[in-house]
Amino acid sequence: GGVRHLDVLHPIQSGEERFKENRGNEGLSPNQSMAMASSAISTRVSSDFIVTHAWRTYLARLHSNPIMTKAISAGLLSIVSDLVAKRLTKEPVKSSSLINELSMGLVIRGPVQHYFQQFLDKVVFAGKKQSSPAVVLGKMVIDCFIFSPLYNALYFIIVGLMADQPTAESLQKIQKLLFSVMKSNWTVWVPVNIISYAVVPLELRVLFGNVISIFWTAFLIKKVKGDSQRTTHTEE
């Protein structure tokens, strides 16, 4: 969970090597070449510092206020998922859709995943070696084959409520689409969860899943909304 210190020697060495390789080819004076090399080094070090500072700040917030931190990061990544979905479907970006996905991340994805991961480690497998193959496999089975179908069904229902659809219509959609969604889900999340439960620390597991789920959630948005559009056209 710690953060490695910046290695400033590497960018300095690479800058000097670029200076030696390019000064003869570019026809620049030594002072100009040195200034360009120094600028490149400063940019690299500054960007590394910003990333490292942001990561340390995130870890500190994760320690002091884990639920809020995970909720906010899940909300922001949910917005990214919606943008990716719009890109895939070539639909215009709508503020209402972004707000809905932000709300899903803040209220559902972050907090629910936080408590579920805590439940696995501290209740179901309490006192066990968390990285042992049996525990990793057990967590993956519970996650993928018990929790995930319920979680994805909940997503269908909430999306329906946000679109002012009757609950009966959402339940029909679950009956029609959930199994095909879960087959796609298992191809992605079985290996991802094995990696997550084997090597990712508990406090970073929700973030890891949220990053991977950018594209999974985009697929799910595309699947749910695409079916809604086809149903509407059929009814018309």
Side-chain angles (χ1 to χ4, degrees):
V3 180
R4 292 179 296 181
H5 294 289
L6 281 175
D7 182 5
V8 297
L9 291 179
H10 177 70
I12 292 176
Q13 291 170 346
S14 62
E16 290 178 346
E17 290 169 359
R18 288 194 298 271
F19 163 65
K20 292 177 181 178
E21 291 172 359
N22 296 333
R23 63 178 293 188
N25 296 332
E26 296 181 357
L28 299 175
S29 68
N31 288 339
Q32 290 174 320
S33 299
M34 183 62 74
M36 291 181 63
S38 298
S39 177
I41 294 168
S42 298
T43 301
R44 173 67 182 274
V45 172
S46 297
S47 62
D48 285 352
F49 174 79
I50 291 171
V51 171
T52 302
H53 179 72
W55 179 244
R56 286 176 174 167
T57 301
Y58 176 82
L59 292 178
R61 296 289 185 273
L62 195 62
H63 178 73
S64 62
N65 197 344
I67 298 175
M68 181 62 70
T69 303
K70 291 173 185 178
I72 292 173
S73 60
L76 295 176
L77 291 172
S78 294
I79 291 176
V80 175
S81 296
D82 192 58
L83 294 174
V84 172
K86 292 296 188 294
R87 182 78 174 179
L88 293 174
T89 57
K90 298 181 180 179
E91 295 179 6
V93 177
K94 296 181 179 179
S95 59
S96 58
S97 179
L98 294 177
I99 292 172
N100 286 346
E101 289 302 321
L102 173 63
S103 301
M104 285 283 290
L106 289 172
V107 179
I108 303 297
R109 294 190 181 103
V112 170
Q113 285 288 346
H114 167 80
Y115 286 114
F116 175 68
Q117 297 299 332
Q118 296 286 325
F119 174 73
L120 286 180
D121 276 37
K122 298 183 178 181
V123 178
V124 180
F125 296 100
K128 307 288 185 181
K129 184 180 179 182
Q130 300 298 317
S131 60
S132 69
V135 171
V136 169
L137 183 62
K139 289 180 181 179
M140 183 276 292
V141 170
I142 294 171
D143 192 323
C144 290
F145 298 99
I146 299 175
F147 173 76
S148 190
L150 298 173
Y151 185 76
N152 282 288
L154 177 64
Y155 179 82
F156 277 86
I157 293 172
I158 292 176
V159 168
L161 292 174
M162 288 179 171
D164 293 325
Q165 294 175 353
T167 303
E169 185 176 330
S170 297
L171 294 176
Q172 288 177 354
K173 194 175 294 183
I174 290 171
Q175 291 179 339
K176 179 181 178 182
L177 293 177
L178 185 60
F179 184 65
S180 65
V181 166
M182 290 313 305
K183 287 193 293 184
S184 300
N185 177 288
W186 294 325
T187 62
V188 174
W189 289 102
V190 166
V192 167
N193 279 328
I194 288 174
I195 294 170
S196 177
Y197 290 125
V199 300
V200 179
L202 173 61
E203 62 271 15
L204 295 177
R205 212 174 285 153
V206 173
L207 176 64
F208 176 76
N210 285 335
V211 171
I212 300 298
S213 70
I214 287 175
F215 297 99
W216 166 253
T217 303
F219 163 80
L220 195 58
I221 294 169
K222 182 174 179 289
K223 184 84 172 175
V224 173
K225 293 185 178 179
D227 180 78
S228 296
Q229 291 172 352
R230 284 192 298 272
T231 302
T232 301
H233 292 322
T234 301
E235 291 174 352
E236 292 174 351

